[in-house]
Amino acid sequence: MLMSYEWLKELVDIADIPAEELAEKMSRTGIEVDGVNTLNDGLKKVVVGQTLSVENHPDADHLHVCQVDVGEEEALQIVCGAPNVAANQKVIVALHNSWVAGHNKIKKGRMRGVMSQGMICSLEEIGISSALVPKEYADGIMVLPEDAPIGMDIVDYLQLDDPILDLDVTPNRADAFSMFGDAYEVGAIYGREVTLPTVDESPYTLNSTETPEVRIEVENSDQVKEYNAVVVKHVHVEPSPLWLQMRLIKAGVRPINNVVDITNYLLMAYGQPLHAFDYDKLENHHIVTRQAKDGETLVTLDEEERALMADDIVITDGEKPIALAGVMGGLDTEITETTTNVLIESAIFMGASVRKTARRLGLRSESSIRNERGVNPKTTLSAAIHAATMMQELAGGAISDQVIHQTTLDSSPTIVESNTTAINRLLGLALSYEEMTAIFNQLGFEVNGSAEAFQVSVPSRRLDVKIAADLAEEVARIYGYDKIPSTLPELKPNVIGLNASQRFLRLTHQLMTGMGYDEVISYSLTSADKVSVLNRYARQAVTLSHPLSDDHRVMRTNLLTSMLDVAAYNVARQLTDLSLYEVGRTYFQNEQGHMEEHTHLAGLWSGTVMTNEWAEKPRPVSFYDIKGTVERYFAALNLPMVPTYRANTTMTGMHPGQTADIVVNIAGEEKVIGFVGGLHPELAKAYDLPKTTFVFECDLEPLLAVNEQKIVQQPLPKYPGMSRDIALVVPETVTYAQLAEAIKASGSSYLNRVQLFDVYRGEHIASDKKSMAFGLFYLNPEATLVDEEVSADVERICAALHEQFGAEIR
């Protein structure tokens, strides 16, 4: 919010406090000031002048030769191109050797052969943003009031040297979004009395639903907490007085006309959004507030047609919408030059609904911001009557003596209880009850009670003060954070170290980086379309109530959802050989509807296995490469389990012939903790990834609960081992895991290791069979093995394989 220092001085006596000191003090007490600026930056020798005569330039159709009185002995001749320049106007004049906005120097010179001794300025040329220039002067010069003193410095006349404080107001401090609220804040900081303008409400009769001029119906009282309406007739719509226009410009609001400007001025003063309807354009002079209906549309004041939704609160004429409540009015009932009768609306709408509508339609405004954060229910009616009074003064209107006032709100103060001991304990201070009472009185809070127990009456403007901790914060702010002594906590240092879970995750990172994988850290949020990608368990996703965008609407249920985006980003930049991993949290709803978080490990390997060096050619990544990563990882964890792999041909997004579930045995129970395999070609194509892209993901939660195995060191064997090779012809459906398990089960205790070293399909082998060659390695740590023992064991193994799988020895 932009706060005028000169306006603030009218509300609280701070004439002896420089603006820079005030900004620093406010920042220290909780309302940060981003900067102090003025509108006169770089202006020099720019004054008020009066055009005596205006003639067309002899050699240019769009230029005019003006004689201008600037308070000197002789009038100046100035060539001006503004279309609205005319004789007997008070204008802004930059003299010879003057400086205007943008550090531009103005000198005498000839324009198309005619001498020009200065420049007649527009508001933009003296530093006013084009977005704030009144519409009637948008394409030309600024015409000043007739009583503007000729020769007076324009900085003094327009008070362009008024310091403007840029307040960075936090969402909880709704009161600071108003000049009156900021005046209370400054008064509390310096212990100064605040003097606000008052409005006499006694002449007006309050009716709940109907007056002779208008009938009001609030159908959605849960969304419209209060609605006030005042009718002002016989107004004259014209430009606002200069003081009002400049006050709005300094607040960052563009002047429109006197009726609209009054509502905007009081918006900045009270923090209460107001809206003015053209009373004669209201059907049957009837107002109904309700929720919008699907399919309804509204053309707003910016001439854009808006599609409405059921979440939107609308103001209607009983049939069709005429305004988006708390956001923007409708074009059909806007105030124009022909308006003669006005209905003023001052209401309190549900902030959440206003926020949703403004965000969805991209219509965040000064009004919507204040409606979102909350307004003071005690001044809602006062703001409406104040607006009517100003329209009577500045637009010649006649105010109806009956006012609509419907409310379900209680504007009485909030009572918060606390005691000095609790507040001092929170703040580390030793303030007395009298000192705390003085601080609360500075804030405008009434206090009753004693040091042991007191009650603080918090005005309705301070919506953020609700509990005892808030009172402690108020004491700290006004007392001064810089005065609170710093003390070190009395804690004995303890060497805590890493717990078992932290050690496990640190080891996981070490293992993955040691295998050549690069770590990625991705967002925990994704879109509703992507959350189902590679979702092995079809878990129910957690959806955010108020997402920042559709791309971040749901919590991820797996890590590969976002890792594919990372891979696609790198591939698009010619980085096709990727090996990535991530350790992160996933989120889902269980069958009872409760949210769970699990730690997952995911990896992605794409492109080639080796770089293209002279001694070795690269080869594409295969299923066995990524499977080898998983096996090396599990082997290094030293857990009492060996993962097995079970073919998975139905998982969406994965290649049906190159995908397997990762199965572990924990406490006698088999659990599927993840999967490994190749991406389906269609999914790889959708992300523009190479066809040779393989991934894995496993849930680490079951592993975190398993203790490591004890490592038992054994002496090196003193006796030599022996080996045998066997080649088996088995059906295609038989897997390596089945054969290896059977070999180990039927072999003797001396069978130390089983290794598959060849798989053959082709000539001399039936089409539905394959040949698999195994190396069997034997070792007796206590004696030398003899051929008869090993041969007999191999025969038992072959017989067992033939019986179980129909295996034949080649």
Side-chain angles (χ1 to χ4, degrees):
M1 175 178 167
L2 300 179
M3 181 177 69
S4 163
Y5 181 74
E6 293 296 330
W7 189 359
L8 184 65
K9 286 199 301 184
E10 296 177 10
L11 306 175
V12 57
D13 183 13
I14 52 169
D16 58 328
I17 302 171
E20 289 74 14
E21 178 187 329
L22 174 62
E24 182 181 0
K25 191 69 172 178
M26 291 186 70
S27 295
R28 287 186 179 182
T29 55
I31 299 179
E32 186 175 353
V33 180
D34 287 341
V36 181
N37 305 296
T38 59
L39 297 177
N40 68 326
D41 185 26
L43 292 184
K44 182 180 179 182
K45 295 182 67 177
V46 182
V47 301
V48 175
Q50 182 175 10
T51 56
L52 302 177
S53 64
V54 176
E55 299 178 355
N56 293 331
H57 193 288
D59 294 326
D61 294 339
H62 68 285
L63 295 180
H64 308 280
V65 180
C66 309
Q67 301 299 320
V68 184
D69 180 6
V70 293
E72 298 180 354
E73 293 182 2
E74 297 182 1
L76 302 182
Q77 178 173 284
I78 298 176
V79 177
C80 177
N84 64 329
V85 67
N88 297 318
Q89 288 178 333
K90 294 292 181 68
V91 294
I92 304 171
V93 181
L95 306 177
H96 172 61
N97 283 334
S98 62
W99 292 85
V100 294
H103 302 286
N104 293 317
K105 190 172 185 179
I106 304 301
K107 295 183 178 181
K108 296 179 181 179
R110 290 187 176 274
M111 296 186 67
R112 293 288 186 95
V114 176
M115 174 60 66
S116 180
Q117 297 173 297
M119 181 175 72
I120 300 177
C121 300
S122 67
L123 285 177
E124 274 189 274
E125 288 164 334
I126 63 170
I128 306 298
S129 169
S130 59
L132 301 177
V133 175
K135 287 185 177 181
E136 62 266 29
Y137 305 131
D139 298 321
I141 59 172
M142 172 72 172
V143 180
L144 301 175
E146 295 180 359
D147 60 355
I150 298 174
M152 185 176 184
D153 193 304
I154 198 66
V155 172
D156 297 332
Y157 180 67
L158 297 180
Q159 290 189 320
L160 297 180
D161 56 348
D162 177 11
I164 300 172
L165 284 68
D166 187 358
L167 307 184
D168 186 5
V169 182
T170 53
N172 65 309
R173 289 300 303 274
D175 61 300
F177 276 103
S178 68
M179 287 299 301
F180 294 171
D182 290 327
Y184 278 116
E185 179 73 9
V186 172
I189 294 172
Y190 289 99
R192 307 288 174 89
E193 185 177 351
V194 177
T195 304
L196 303 183
T198 58
V199 179
D200 184 8
E201 302 177 13
S202 60
Y204 305 99
T205 301
L206 301 183
N207 299 321
S208 61
T209 59
E210 189 172 354
T211 71
E213 290 84 9
V214 66
R215 182 162 55 95
I216 306 293
E217 292 182 41
V218 177
E219 293 185 356
N220 49 349
S221 57
D222 59 323
Q223 299 291 316
V224 182
K225 300 296 185 180
E226 181 169 327
Y227 199 91
N228 301 286
V230 186
V231 175
V232 183
K233 293 188 175 182
H234 312 304
V235 299
H236 301 282
V237 178
E238 56 189 11
S240 297
L242 183 63
W243 70 267
L244 179 53
Q245 292 192 38
M246 290 308 301
R247 189 151 283 185
L248 289 176
I249 288 172
K250 292 175 184 179
V253 179
R254 182 179 189 173
I256 306 296
N257 56 55
N258 52 358
V259 172
V260 176
D261 291 351
I262 287 169
T263 63
N264 287 331
Y265 169 72
L266 295 177
L267 163 71
M268 308 308 296
Y270 285 89
Q272 170 63 55
L274 301 170
H275 185 68
F277 295 96
D278 188 321
Y279 174 79
D280 296 320
K281 295 177 182 178
L282 297 175
E283 292 289 340
N284 302 318
H285 302 152
H286 187 194
I287 291 284
V288 178
T289 74
R290 59 171 171 82
Q291 299 303 117
K293 301 173 183 177
D294 290 335
E296 283 188 319
T297 60
L298 172 67
V299 179
T300 47
L301 289 172
D302 56 2
E303 301 183 4
E304 293 286 336
E305 185 176 18
R306 311 287 180 176
L308 306 181
M309 298 179 63
D311 288 338
D312 302 331
I313 309 171
V314 291
I315 311 300
T316 74
D317 59 5
E319 296 292 337
K320 63 182 184 298
I322 58 174
L324 271 172
V327 180
M328 185 176 285
L331 188 64
D332 290 345
T333 56
E334 74 167 329
I335 303 299
T336 65
E337 294 178 356
T338 61
T339 298
T340 56
N341 301 311
V342 176
L343 184 142
I344 302 170
E345 170 194 274
S346 179
I348 297 178
F349 305 107
M350 182 63 73
S353 295
V354 173
R355 180 174 62 251
K356 287 181 182 179
T357 300
R359 181 176 294 174
R360 177 173 58 82
L361 298 177
L363 286 176
R364 289 178 65 82
S365 61
E366 296 288 352
S367 292
S368 68
I369 289 172
R370 286 160 178 79
N371 275 302
E372 290 174 18
R373 285 159 173 73
V375 297
N376 183 2
K378 193 169 184 178
T379 58
T380 305
L381 176 61
S382 300
I385 295 177
H386 196 163
T389 303
M390 288 190 68
M391 290 182 192
Q392 185 180 42
E393 296 172 357
L394 303 181
I399 309 173
S400 169
D401 60 357
Q402 297 193 44
V403 176
I404 294 292
H405 175 64
Q406 290 191 42
T407 184
T408 60
L409 295 175
D410 182 6
S411 61
S412 59
T414 301
I415 305 300
V416 183
E417 298 182 352
S418 188
N419 58 75
T420 56
T421 302
I423 292 178
N424 282 327
R425 183 174 63 250
L426 278 175
L427 303 181
L429 297 173
L431 298 180
S432 66
Y433 174 65
E434 290 71 23
E435 290 174 307
M436 289 187 187
T437 300
I439 290 174
F440 290 133
N441 289 336
Q442 284 179 240
L443 290 162
F445 299 179
E446 294 184 5
V447 185
N448 294 296
S450 62
E452 291 73 24
F454 55 78
Q455 298 80 39
V456 178
S457 179
V458 182
S460 59
R461 59 184 168 81
R462 289 300 304 273
L463 302 175
D464 58 312
V465 181
K466 299 177 180 178
I467 60 176
D470 296 331
L471 295 180
E473 182 182 2
E474 293 302 300
V475 170
R477 289 194 317 107
I478 304 304
Y479 178 76
Y481 291 119
D482 53 337
K483 296 180 183 178
I484 298 177
S486 300
T487 57
L488 293 175
E490 296 181 1
L491 297 175
K492 294 181 179 179
N494 293 318
V495 180
I496 299 174
L498 302 178
N499 58 33
S501 175
Q502 292 169 331
R503 288 196 302 271
F504 183 96
L505 295 179
R506 180 167 293 187
L507 175 61
T508 295
H509 285 287
Q510 292 172 348
L511 293 175
M512 295 305 298
T513 54
M515 287 187 282
Y517 284 76
D518 296 317
E519 183 184 8
V520 299
I521 301 174
S522 56
Y523 288 119
S524 297
L525 298 171
T526 186
S527 66
D529 296 333
K530 290 184 177 181
V531 72
S532 59
V533 175
L534 301 182
N535 191 356
R536 168 65 178 80
Y537 305 102
R539 289 168 169 167
Q540 180 66 34
V542 178
T543 303
L544 301 188
S545 299
H546 304 291
L548 295 176
S549 68
D550 286 338
D551 291 336
H552 301 89
R553 182 173 293 277
V554 297
M555 307 290 285
R556 64 185 180 187
T557 58
N558 61 77
L559 301 183
L560 288 174
T561 295
S562 48
M563 188 174 288
L564 292 181
D565 289 327
V566 175
Y569 180 89
N570 283 270
V571 168
R573 286 153 181 79
Q574 310 302 317
L575 299 175
T576 55
D577 294 340
L578 299 172
S579 50
L580 311 174
Y581 87 94
E582 181 173 7
V583 177
R585 305 287 280 176
T586 62
Y587 312 85
F588 62 94
Q589 291 183 8
N590 59 26
E591 295 178 355
Q592 290 75 36
H594 301 145
M595 194 185 84
E596 290 190 20
E597 297 183 29
H598 282 200
T599 301
H600 280 208
L601 166 66
L604 180 146
W605 198 347
S606 175
T608 56
V609 174
M610 304 180 67
T611 58
N612 192 9
E613 298 181 359
W614 70 272
E616 194 166 4
K617 293 184 179 180
R619 63 174 177 82
V621 178
S622 70
F623 169 82
Y624 297 103
D625 293 318
I626 195 76
K627 177 172 173 285
T629 295
V630 177
E631 290 182 339
R632 288 195 297 274
Y633 171 72
F634 274 91
L637 291 179
N638 192 35
L639 298 179
M641 64 183 69
V642 177
T644 57
Y645 304 90
R646 184 182 302 155
N648 186 330
T649 61
T650 61
M651 183 172 171
T652 303
M654 297 295 291
H655 195 297
Q658 297 182 355
T659 303
D661 288 334
I662 303 173
V663 184
V664 295
N665 190 304
I666 299 177
E669 179 184 354
E670 282 193 349
K671 291 185 177 181
V672 177
I673 64 168
F675 64 93
V676 59
L679 289 185
H680 195 284
E682 292 182 357
L683 183 61
K685 182 179 179 181
Y687 281 86
D688 292 328
L689 298 177
K691 293 181 180 179
T692 55
T693 299
F694 293 84
V695 298
F696 74 88
E697 182 164 348
C698 58
D699 188 350
L700 299 183
E701 294 294 330
L703 307 182
L704 292 171
V706 178
N707 295 324
E708 296 183 9
Q709 297 182 103
K710 290 184 178 180
I711 300 177
V712 179
Q713 185 173 357
Q714 296 179 343
L716 294 175
K718 299 178 181 179
Y719 304 98
M722 298 181 68
S723 64
R724 291 286 191 274
D725 294 340
I726 58 174
L728 309 171
V729 178
V730 296
E732 276 285 359
T733 56
V734 178
T735 65
Y736 159 76
Q738 291 174 316
L739 292 174
E741 185 178 356
I743 292 172
K744 293 175 183 178
S746 56
S748 68
S749 60
Y750 301 147
L751 181 59
N752 183 260
R753 181 163 57 93
V754 178
Q755 179 179 344
L756 176 70
F757 64 85
D758 184 51
V759 178
Y760 173 74
R761 298 176 180 86
E763 190 176 358
H764 306 303
I765 301 293
S767 60
D768 60 343
K769 294 188 178 183
K770 59 186 174 184
S771 172
M772 303 180 72
F774 290 87
L776 310 181
F777 298 91
Y778 289 85
L779 179 65
N780 184 350
E782 298 179 355
T784 301
L785 288 169
V786 296
D787 285 342
E788 288 79 5
E789 292 179 288
V790 174
S791 298
D793 195 63
V794 171
E795 290 179 2
R796 285 194 301 271
I797 291 173
C798 292
L801 295 178
H802 177 74
E803 180 180 352
Q804 294 180 41
F805 306 107
E808 298 177 2
I809 305 298
R810 290 186 64 192

